[in-house]
């Protein structure tokens, strides 16, 4: 286990020696295929080059509008005093965004909704399957196993149908989205390497999983932490009231002005990195911190461990967004903050995820205050990823406070009562082994 930033970086900057591998990645490879997130070093550069242009900053800026539309869509159903299943809602949001980035508007409404539902079931089931890699257990025809099988078959069928339809569609349906990029590579129009349909499928599945789960956990964690830190929440409200005066979701021009919102998200990713433990496997005999490691050794590193080391981050268990104010970050040692990893395998979706999370948290905070249910504490169970998986909170509408007005001690609107909604335990439950 590499426990110092320098050692973690030695591992991450030498992917030829410390390649992707270990139990988690072996399992993911079986489930998702050899996409960019799981493939070995020798095939990685080609795959990354193919996808990278679709994740450039300018490209993400074009997608900020669709992020706003989707966050508006998921919050539209909220009512005053309603118990909102925050975890399920954030997974719905991140799935909506990633499916539009992949397919733009080529899925009809019913298919897109079915895809989101299947993805939520598969994300939960995959989580259990990666932490409990005992195949026999998942062949037993329990209702949960049948649900998982049905959802993953449907997901595969929907993705295959989308690929076929795009191929056969009018003028070859030249949409400017990620599926378009991948299909162009199957024809090598740009003169690049030709990829197979199987690879297209693998990349689509990889991006859907990687893009939906981590972003949803980051958003749920941020809302959970804000609910427990009223002072930070008040400062966030002041910022969004000033920047989003029209009430519309932020566009690319507003995003840089949402400084405190971004600090809240960065601190959330430090405090609770969704990817908290990763592995690599040595491809040859090597040395790390004076220890000889034979070929095939599994090396672990943990963003959570680094982010909570008091020698790197003073008072590490406190949620302090101000650590990330411009000018403050000089005190953060290089390489200590790695919620998106580092080196050539660093998260390809970092810019997209941060833009989406900023749009979502700012828009939600502009219109809603999410409160914890009295006495409810979300128990975090570290698993393949980290974050609240069964978070429910009460939604209270907010109205914009004119700039300069002091906050009320209790901003609950008069007469607001808590309306419990029966939420579907299949979409909200703690996703542990019992789900299987
Ligand atoms: C807050 C949200 C996210 C977090 C915290 C996160 C975190 C990470 C981390 C830590 C890695 C590196 C894993 C390793 O080194 O073994 C990674 C890789 C990856 N992420 Fe993300 N991610 C997020 C959102 C996204 C999004 C939105 C997408 C795409 C739509 C995405 C796609 C990927 C892919 C494809 C890889 C593999 C990159 C490669 O190996 O070249 N992620 N992510």
């Amino acid at each position: 286990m590499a426990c110092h930033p320098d050692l973690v970086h030695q591992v991450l900057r030498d992917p030829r020696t410390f390649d992707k591998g270990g139990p988690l990645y072996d399992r993911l490879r079986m489930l998702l295929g050899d996409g960019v997130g799981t493939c070995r070093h020798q095939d990685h550069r080609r795959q990354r080059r193919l996808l990278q242009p679709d994740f450039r900053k300018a490209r993400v800026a074009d997608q900020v509008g669709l992020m706003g539309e989707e966050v508006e869509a998921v919050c539209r159903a909220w009512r005053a005093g309603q118990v909102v299943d925050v975890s399920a809602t954030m997974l719905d949001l991140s799935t909506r965004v990633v499916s539009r980035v992949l397919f733009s508007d080529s899925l009809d409404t019913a298919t897109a909704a079915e895809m989101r539902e299947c993805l939520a079931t598969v994300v939960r089931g995959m989580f259990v399957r990666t932490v409990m890699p005992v195949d026999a257990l998942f062949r037993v025809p329990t209702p949960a196993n049948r649900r998982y099988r049905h959802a993953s078959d449907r997901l595969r069928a929907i993705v295959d149908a989308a690929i076929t339809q795009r191929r056969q569609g009018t003028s070859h349906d030249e949409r400017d989205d990620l599926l378009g990029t991948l299909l162009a590579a199957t024809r090598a129009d740009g003169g690049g390497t030709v990829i197979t349909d199987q690879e297209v499928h693998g990349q689509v599945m990889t991006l859907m999983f990687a893009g939906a789960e981590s972003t949803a956990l980051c958003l749920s964690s941020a809302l959970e932490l804000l609910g427990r830190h009223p002072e930070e929440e008040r400062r966030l409200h002041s910022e969004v009231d000033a920047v989003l005066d029209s009430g519309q979701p932020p566009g690319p021009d507003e995003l840089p002005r949402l400084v405190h919102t971004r600090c809240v998200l960065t601190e959330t990713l430090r405090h609770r990195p969704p990817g908290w433990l990763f592995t690599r496997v040595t491809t040859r005999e090597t040395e790390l911190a004076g220890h000889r490691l034979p070929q095939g050794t599994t090396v672990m590193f943990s963003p959570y461990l680094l982010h909570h080391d008091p020698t790197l981050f003073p008072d590490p268990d406190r949620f302090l967004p101000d650590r990330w104010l411009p000018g403050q970050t000089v005190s953060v040692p290089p390489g200590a903050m790695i919620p998106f990893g580092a080196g050539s395998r660093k998260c390809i979706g970092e810019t997209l995820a941060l833009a989406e999370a900023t749009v979502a948290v700012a828009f939600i905070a502009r219109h809603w205050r999410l409160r914890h249910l009295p006495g409810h504490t979300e128990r975090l169970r570290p698993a393949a990823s980290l974050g609240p998986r069964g978070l429910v909170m009460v939604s209270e509408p907010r109205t914009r406070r004119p700039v300069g007005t002091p906050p009320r001690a209790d901003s609950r609107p008069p007469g607001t009562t808590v309306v419990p909604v029966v939420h579907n335990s299949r979409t909200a439950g703690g996703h542990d082994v019992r789900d299987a």
Side-chain angles (χ1 to χ4, degrees), residues 53-210:
D54 284 76
F55 290 93
R56 281 194 319 257
K57 276 202 173 102
R59 184 82 182 178
V60 171
D62 293 341
Q63 288 156 348
V64 168
L66 74 85
M67 295 169 187
E69 286 165 23
E70 295 303 341
V71 70
E72 273 190 290
V74 298
C75 298
R76 202 168 290 142
W78 293 0
R79 299 285 172 266
Q82 182 183 333
V83 179
V84 174
D85 184 338
V86 175
S87 297
T89 309
M90 294 304 117
L91 187 57
D92 186 26
L93 170 63
S94 60
T95 310
R96 281 166 180 265
V97 171
V98 79
S99 75
R100 281 186 68 180
V101 168
L102 279 161
F103 303 112
S104 46
D105 58 351
S106 56
L107 299 181
D108 62 67
T109 318
T111 312
E114 187 187 0
M115 197 184 82
R116 284 200 298 277
E117 211 169 287
C118 292
L119 190 60
T121 306
V122 175
V123 162
R124 285 195 305 276
M126 182 168 309
F127 157 70
V128 183
R129 282 157 180 79
T130 48
V131 290
M132 286 263 304
V134 186
D135 283 330
L137 205 68
F138 302 109
R139 283 198 291 269
V140 182
T142 61
N145 281 346
R146 280 205 300 268
R147 253 190 331 262
Y148 175 84
R149 174 62 58 87
H150 174 76
S152 64
D153 288 350
R154 279 301 299 147
L155 202 54
R156 182 169 290 277
I158 291 170
V159 171
D160 284 344
I163 295 170
T164 312
Q165 201 179 13
R166 184 73 71 90
R167 282 234 167 85
Q168 293 167 346
T170 44
S171 72
H172 219 87
D173 252 350
E174 298 282 352
R175 281 195 178 79
D176 192 16
D177 53 21
L178 248 161
L179 182 57
T181 303
L182 290 166
L183 289 180
T186 63
R187 306 188 297 270
D189 321 8
T193 336
V194 184
I195 66 169
T196 60
D197 272 10
Q198 203 186 349
E199 183 173 332
V200 174
H201 190 100
Q203 302 293 14
V204 169
M205 298 290 277
T206 299
L207 292 166
M208 282 201 303
F209 286 107

Side-chain angles (χ1 to χ4, degrees), residues 12 20 25 36-37 44 48 55 98 206-207 210-211 214-215 218 269 274 278 280 301 338-341 344-349 352-353:
L12 293 179
K20 278 241 170 140
Y25 283 117
V36 66
H44 179 249
R48 183 89 187 205
F55 290 93
V98 79
T206 299
L207 292 166
S214 310
T215 315
C218 165
L269 288 167
F278 294 101
R280 296 292 189 265
F301 68 94
I338 51 164
F340 293 99
S344 61
R345 306 301 294 246
K346 189 174 184 192
C347 179
I348 201 169
L352 180 85

